[in-house]
Amino acid sequence: MNISLRKYPYPYQAMLAVCSDLDETPNKEIYFETARYLNTTEQTILGKGVGLEVGNSIYFDMPENQFSYTNTDNDGRKKIHYLIDSGHIDCLHSFGDFVNSRERIKLCWAELQKGQRKLEVWIDHAQAPTNLDDDIMQGEGAVAGADAFHTDLTVKTGGLSFIWKGRVTSIASQNVKRNYRSLFNIKEPYKSGKTILIEFIKGWFARLGSVKYAMHKDNHVLRKTQLLDGTPVQEFMRCNPSWGGVSVFDSARGIHNVLTESVLNTLLKNKGCSVLYSHLGKVFSGEQAFKQCTRDAFELLAAYQKNKLILTATTRRLLGYCRTVEELSFMVKSADDKEQIHLSTTYKGQDLYGLTWYADDPEKVALYINGKYYSNLQINPADNSGRKSVSIAWPPLVFPDIKSPV
Ligand SMILES: [Zn+2]
């Protein structure tokens, strides 16, 4: 029997994470209502929820007009912990602008270790002293001996696994060949042409040996690399496939120019995977956070999921899936009228969710994970390619009740 790994969890053909830095989120209500809007189908102050799966980020000490762990109240902090535990806050966006000492870092990190689930994704923020990149993001987080050094506490201990150090590409789909198709805007030929040219040049710099743009050339979401102090990490690249360039339309005020049919169709056609760079707390106004165009954009994305085309997942889940697929190996053995898939992987639990193998006769497939029989194998009907498959299910995250004060 012919057994092969499907690129994405059945039945989807592409994968996307909306990865939002919380910069400038004006208040607690908008922070939590955004989560409810994106992750439930309930009525919210931003409109009727779209029922996707979109995470958010958190940080600590920030100017007082910006939502953060430190600036919110006890109710807000409790809800933050609920959402970390449920997987809906999945990224630490540095420790914040004002965290610059070991003592403060230790206290903040301890707060994050209280719950059942831990944050494993780090995203550098602006000029935060704790940033892990010393080049683009100018941080001291990985500089041994510096006041804001913390990798011994946060990364080397196995806490943070996935690190973002400032790299954004204009290319809409990663883990495939670079493709500029969705970037050209016929109404804005000069500006969109410039965006394409810049992205093209980054690719050529990489070919000429530029380390800074190596990820752009390879066009992979993940790569294994090291921090300044030698700590091995998985670095991820985000994309903002905006025709105006990587720093344009990178917020709630512009996301309708990025979540477009053109971009989503490109992602789909290429069978790509992308972590979308955005700032959903940069809203239109405190009174009217999203406009109709914003809702239309998220409803469009929800339609791609409903139609079994693009799976939207939190950043942590998407990165975990990519890492597992890149590092797993399996072999197929025939025995007792069964086709046995023997999977070898160093990952377990949630990191195996969604793994799917094409098989001519799914009923006759048995899965063994590191030698142990897996009893919950899901049998799938033929997908758009006409092939049947078996899967380890991809269960949705369960959104907690945070509507009322807790
Ligand atoms: Zn930021």
Side-chain angles (χ1 to χ4, degrees), residues 6 9-11 354-359 362-363 377-383 387-393:
R6 199 179 186 278
Y10 170 86
L355 290 177
T356 299
W357 287 267
Y358 281 121
E363 304 279 352
L377 201 62
Q378 174 183 298
I379 292 178
N380 308 314
D383 64 8
R387 287 178 289 173
K388 296 176 194 167
S389 58
V390 293
S391 291
I392 298 173

Side-chain angles (χ1 to χ4, degrees), residues 37 256 284 288 290-299:
Y37 171 81
H256 57 283
F284 285 96
Q288 194 198 21
F290 285 2
K291 286 189 178 171
Q292 191 55 45
C293 55
T294 326
R295 284 186 283 276
D296 290 345
F298 285 116
E299 280 167 21

Side-chain angles (χ1 to χ4, degrees), residues 25 41 63 66 80 88 93 176 179 240 262 302 334 344 348 356:
T25 306
T41 51
Q66 297 191 38
I80 289 170
H88 292 93
H93 192 31
V176 293
N179 182 314
N240 180 25
S262 162
S334 298
S344 308
K348 55 187 179 182
T356 299

Side-chain angles (χ1 to χ4, degrees), residues 21-24 59 62 93-94 97 123-126 137 238 277 279 282:
D21 300 350
L22 74 160
D23 305 44
E24 295 174 32
Y59 45 30
M62 291 294 293
H93 192 31
S94 85
D97 285 349
I123 298 175
D124 275 358
H125 157 72
M137 308 304 281
R238 294 194 277 180
Y277 169 72
H279 302 81
K282 295 185 181 177

Side-chain angles (χ1 to χ4, degrees), residues 122-401:
W122 169 277
I123 298 175
D124 275 358
H125 157 72
Q127 312 292 308
T130 51
N131 281 351
L132 291 172
D133 183 73
D134 66 314
D135 180 18
I136 309 174
M137 308 304 281
Q138 302 177 20
E140 295 187 333
V143 180
D147 292 341
F149 175 66
H150 60 87
T151 57
D152 55 334
L153 194 68
T154 55
V155 190
K156 285 194 174 112
T157 50
L160 301 169
S161 303
F162 304 103
I163 310 293
W164 186 79
K165 302 198 301 170
R167 287 181 173 81
V168 184
T169 176
S170 289
I171 304 288
S173 28
Q174 276 62 65
N175 293 1
V176 293
K177 219 171 145 262
R178 283 156 66 82
N179 182 314
Y180 304 89
R181 192 189 320 264
S182 70
L183 287 174
F184 189 71
N185 182 333
I186 199 147
K187 289 183 202 143
E188 297 282 353
Y190 174 71
K191 281 188 194 156
S192 63
K194 191 175 156 202
T195 301
I196 291 171
L197 187 65
I198 289 171
E199 195 56 47
F200 190 76
I201 290 169
K202 285 177 184 172
W204 274 103
F205 268 125
R207 277 179 198 90
L208 295 171
S210 160
V211 176
K212 190 169 174 181
Y213 295 122
M215 276 194 101
H216 291 76
K217 174 177 78 70
D218 296 339
N219 198 37
H220 264 72
V221 168
L222 279 177
R223 72 160 171 183
K224 285 185 179 172
T225 185
Q226 327 186 312
L227 299 177
L228 202 62
D229 63 350
T231 313
V233 292
Q234 296 265 0
E235 179 182 0
F236 66 103
M237 180 168 69
R238 294 194 277 180
C239 77
N240 180 25
S242 143
W243 56 261
V246 291
S247 304
V248 178
F249 306 136
D250 60 344
S251 74
R253 296 191 286 268
I255 198 158
H256 57 283
N257 292 294
V258 178
L259 288 178
T260 61
E261 270 185 48
S262 162
V263 166
L264 296 176
N265 285 341
T266 301
L267 182 65
L268 189 60
K269 192 158 176 255
N270 294 329
K271 296 191 163 46
C273 179
S274 51
V275 180
L276 192 72
Y277 169 72
S278 197
H279 302 81
L280 296 183
K282 295 185 181 177
V283 293
F284 285 96
S285 71
E287 296 70 44
Q288 194 198 21
F290 285 2
K291 286 189 178 171
Q292 191 55 45
C293 55
T294 326
R295 284 186 283 276
D296 290 345
F298 285 116
E299 280 167 21
L300 180 70
L301 182 60
Y304 277 79
Q305 170 144 318
K306 212 172 178 182
N307 293 326
K308 304 177 178 174
L309 301 172
I310 299 175
L311 173 61
T312 299
T314 62
T315 304
R316 167 63 185 85
R317 290 192 87 186
L318 180 146
L319 295 176
Y321 180 81
C322 288
R323 182 179 64 176
T324 301
V325 167
E326 269 169 35
E327 297 182 15
L328 67 72
S329 67
F330 70 94
M331 53 186 274
V332 180
K333 284 188 207 164
S334 298
D336 311 327
D337 195 31
K338 285 268 189 190
E339 294 293 320
Q340 301 179 341
I341 301 173
H342 290 267
L343 169 66
S344 308
T345 172
T346 44
Y347 302 107
K348 55 187 179 182
Q350 61 166 346
D351 283 322
L352 304 184
Y353 291 164
L355 290 177
T356 299
W357 287 267
Y358 281 121
D360 303 333
D361 193 352
E363 304 279 352
K364 287 193 172 168
V365 174
L367 173 65
Y368 294 81
I369 301 171
N370 298 329
K372 197 167 169 266
Y373 176 66
Y374 179 74
S375 58
N376 289 325
L377 201 62
Q378 174 183 298
I379 292 178
N380 308 314
D383 64 8
N384 65 311
S385 74
R387 287 178 289 173
K388 296 176 194 167
S389 58
V390 293
S391 291
I392 298 173
W394 176 276
L397 294 179
V398 178
F399 196 79
D401 183 9

